[in-house]
Amino acid sequence: MEQGRAPIVSFVSLGCPKALVDSERIITRLRAEGYELARKHDGADLVIVNTCGFLDSAKAESLSAIGEAMAENGKVIVTGCMGAEPEAIREAYPGVLSITGPQQYESVLEAVHRANPPKHNPMLDLLPPQGIKLTPRHYAYLKISEGCNNRCTFCIIPKLRGDLVSRPADDVLREAERLVKAGVKELLVVSQDTSAYGIDIKYATSKWKDREVRARFYDLAKELGELGAWVRLQYVYPYPHVDEVIGLMAEGKVLPYLDIPFQHGNADVLKRMRRPAAQDKTLARIAKWRSECPELTLRSTFIVGFPGETDAEFDDLLQWLDEAEIDRVGCFKYESVAGATSNALDNPVPDEVKAARWERLMAHQQKISVRRLKKKVGSRQQVIIDEIGPSVAKGRSKGDAPEIDGAVYVASRRPLRQGEVVTVKIERADEYDLHGSVVGF
């Protein structure tokens, strides 16, 4: 490193939005200490790789990213979920400088300091109060807790990230307010189990402005809804108290959008997964939610090919989807994960059967998606603009989360700005996206 210049760090962030929040926190600390960031490993003083370790395929991607960083740079610090199981990393790349698990920000910073001490100049290294974000300026992920108390048989997140640890409500609200003041138009509320927020701290109250606020899912959502930004609730486990938040959606306080990973539609499969198994009651709840808030968009994820899944159980899932009419669906072929208790279940499903069921479910869901989207043709939707094009901009309605859902393609008489919220008349729909023209600014 040249004498006097700031150390340069290249950063790779893999995995889910919750890992992205971890990356943003590490980057914020690095920038505050005067480190420069680079997109390329070559020429950087060191590389940080924030790994994902949820599935074997994700571990393979993480190892590949570490290998690429080692080949191009050689000075590599590894953190994140795969860092909770360091043996595989050490075996493949014994020369990495440091390996730490998720949320171990201080250990990552200590490793960086050992490799390249900071050269901070407070007159030059200015840090915006909202921190450094890896998302576009107009939306941000707001992580409200770490860890998870559930013990789903297919999941090792509690082993990697521990049990639920909720942030105090005032701490979350201060961060959210800073983000909104910095120009964020949409807050995406995330955690491993968003609706369990506050259970571990017995819904403790904390002082926010002139009032006491409980660390509770409903109370936090209500307060976030007063900040003037879109509030989108993601990774919501379907506890009974989730019903309370539908009223906030109907009032326009938070977006009429729920991301609930139902995982399956057959009661026996759900019991083997250790997920809520009363899906008939879930269907009744969904119907009630939609009666209270007709604009509600539901997103969910499902697993096909779970050990023991029969043809009849898979057909139950397709029938359940018909009845539930979930708007947005993600589907995964079951993968065994080292340490997951589902590995011990009998009757594994062959890979070719998993693939065939995945194809069938996605084709089945596409028809549901088309039907749901067609109902929006002729309506007026508020749309937040993500990308600017020469004649058509790409944005999202209140029913679309970034990266995972569909888009709204928008024609406009005047150029639009990234982050602008406009009113769009929907003129047509295809399998996953909407198309329309601006009718209001």
Side-chain angles (χ1 to χ4, degrees):
M1 188 177 76
E2 298 169 19
Q3 190 171 6
R5 77 160 171 82
I8 299 172
V9 177
S10 177
F11 204 105
V12 179
S13 185
L14 303 173
C16 63
K18 295 175 285 294
L20 185 69
V21 174
D22 293 343
S23 296
E24 289 173 351
R25 289 180 179 175
I26 294 167
I27 287 172
T28 294
R29 290 285 302 275
L30 289 172
R31 290 291 291 121
E33 294 180 355
Y35 290 87
E36 297 293 335
L37 298 176
R39 293 183 180 274
K40 295 183 178 180
H41 300 333
D42 185 25
D45 296 302
L46 59 90
V47 180
I48 299 174
V49 180
N50 189 2
T51 60
C52 180
F54 183 47
L55 298 172
D56 289 346
S57 55
K59 291 179 182 178
E61 182 185 10
S62 295
L63 285 172
S64 175
I66 295 166
E68 185 178 325
M70 289 294 289
E72 295 181 17
N73 185 284
K75 296 178 71 175
V76 179
I77 292 168
V78 178
T79 188
C81 282
M82 193 175 177
E85 300 174 346
E87 298 81 11
I89 299 170
R90 286 282 182 208
E91 183 178 344
Y93 304 106
V96 295
L97 298 177
S98 169
I99 302 173
T100 59
Q103 297 117 44
Q104 295 181 11
Y105 313 124
E106 295 300 331
S107 297
V108 175
L109 268 293
E110 288 171 9
V112 173
H113 294 164
R114 286 195 300 270
N116 286 99
K119 292 180 171 25
H120 182 53
N121 183 339
M123 301 301 292
L124 298 176
D125 301 320
L126 301 178
L127 181 71
Q130 79 276 14
I132 305 298
K133 298 199 303 91
L134 301 183
T135 48
R137 184 174 182 269
H138 61 283
Y139 67 83
Y141 292 98
L142 182 68
K143 186 154 65 168
I144 62 174
S145 65
E146 304 283 2
C148 183
N149 288 343
N150 296 312
R151 294 297 184 264
C152 304
T153 57
F154 55 82
C155 182
I156 59 169
I157 290 293
K159 293 181 181 178
L160 297 177
R161 291 179 171 260
D163 286 336
L164 180 73
V165 179
S166 301
R167 297 171 61 189
D170 62 331
D171 186 39
V172 176
L173 290 167
R174 273 195 299 272
E175 180 182 349
E177 186 178 59
R178 284 198 305 271
L179 289 166
V180 173
K181 285 181 177 178
V184 167
K185 302 286 185 65
E186 178 180 9
L187 297 167
L188 298 113
V189 180
V190 297
S191 67
Q192 304 299 334
D193 183 358
T194 301
S195 46
Y197 173 69
I199 290 173
D200 58 306
I201 54 176
K202 297 181 172 57
Y203 308 121
T205 60
S206 53
K207 185 81 170 179
W208 169 245
K209 297 189 182 296
D210 60 346
R211 54 196 177 276
E212 297 285 332
V213 178
R214 286 190 301 173
R216 188 169 172 268
F217 182 54
Y218 173 87
D219 301 68
L220 183 68
K222 185 172 185 289
E223 292 294 340
L224 290 170
E226 301 295 332
L227 297 177
W230 285 11
V231 177
R232 190 179 302 279
L233 303 173
Q234 297 189 266
Y235 306 104
V236 177
Y237 197 87
Y239 301 112
H241 66 256
V242 171
D243 297 2
E244 302 171 11
V245 178
I246 305 300
L248 295 177
M249 297 178 181
E251 295 169 21
K253 297 291 186 183
V254 301
L255 294 185
Y257 179 98
L258 269 182
D259 172 11
I260 299 182
F262 290 117
Q263 306 297 13
H264 212 276
N266 175 271
D268 291 332
V269 175
L270 288 165
K271 286 175 184 174
R272 295 198 295 273
M273 291 179 170
R274 286 196 200 151
R275 299 286 296 180
Q279 292 298 60
D280 54 338
K281 293 181 181 178
T282 302
L283 289 171
R285 289 175 73 194
I286 289 172
K288 187 171 186 293
W289 294 345
R290 285 184 167 142
S291 70
E292 293 177 12
C293 182
E295 299 301 312
L296 178 66
T297 293
L298 283 175
R299 147 164 269 282
S300 190
T301 50
F302 297 88
I303 297 172
V304 296
F306 192 77
E309 184 189 55
T310 64
D311 289 339
E313 289 170 341
F314 175 71
D315 288 340
D316 280 351
L317 170 56
L318 298 184
Q319 183 179 342
W320 190 88
L321 284 172
D322 282 333
E323 295 183 53
E325 287 205 306
I326 305 296
D327 299 87
R328 303 290 193 186
V329 164
C331 182
F332 300 93
K333 297 185 281 287
Y334 172 78
E335 285 186 35
S336 59
V337 180
T341 56
S342 57
N343 297 342
L345 294 175
D346 295 331
N347 303 316
V349 178
D351 287 344
E352 62 271 17
V353 175
K354 292 179 193 175
R357 288 177 181 171
W358 185 89
E359 294 283 354
R360 279 186 64 195
L361 186 144
M362 294 308 292
H364 194 90
Q365 173 59 30
Q366 188 179 82
K367 295 174 184 176
I368 298 171
S369 175
V370 168
R371 192 161 63 241
R372 298 286 298 173
L373 288 175
K374 276 186 176 177
K375 291 182 179 181
K376 297 185 178 182
V377 174
S379 70
R380 297 187 176 211
Q381 302 281 333
Q382 280 194 295
V383 173
I384 190 166
I385 302 301
D386 286 336
E387 299 175 20
I388 307 303
S391 57
V392 175
K394 182 180 179 182
R396 292 175 292 106
S397 74
K398 292 180 177 180
D400 305 307
E403 309 294 338
I404 56 174
D405 291 332
V408 184
Y409 292 91
V410 181
S412 176
R413 295 186 304 275
R414 71 152 172 83
L416 299 174
R417 300 183 305 276
Q418 188 183 50
E420 186 175 8
V421 178
V422 294
T423 302
V424 175
K425 183 176 181 181
I426 304 302
E427 294 157 348
R428 66 183 178 90
D430 55 32
E431 289 87 347
Y432 300 111
D433 302 317
L434 298 171
H435 304 259
S437 301
V438 175
V439 293
F441 296 96

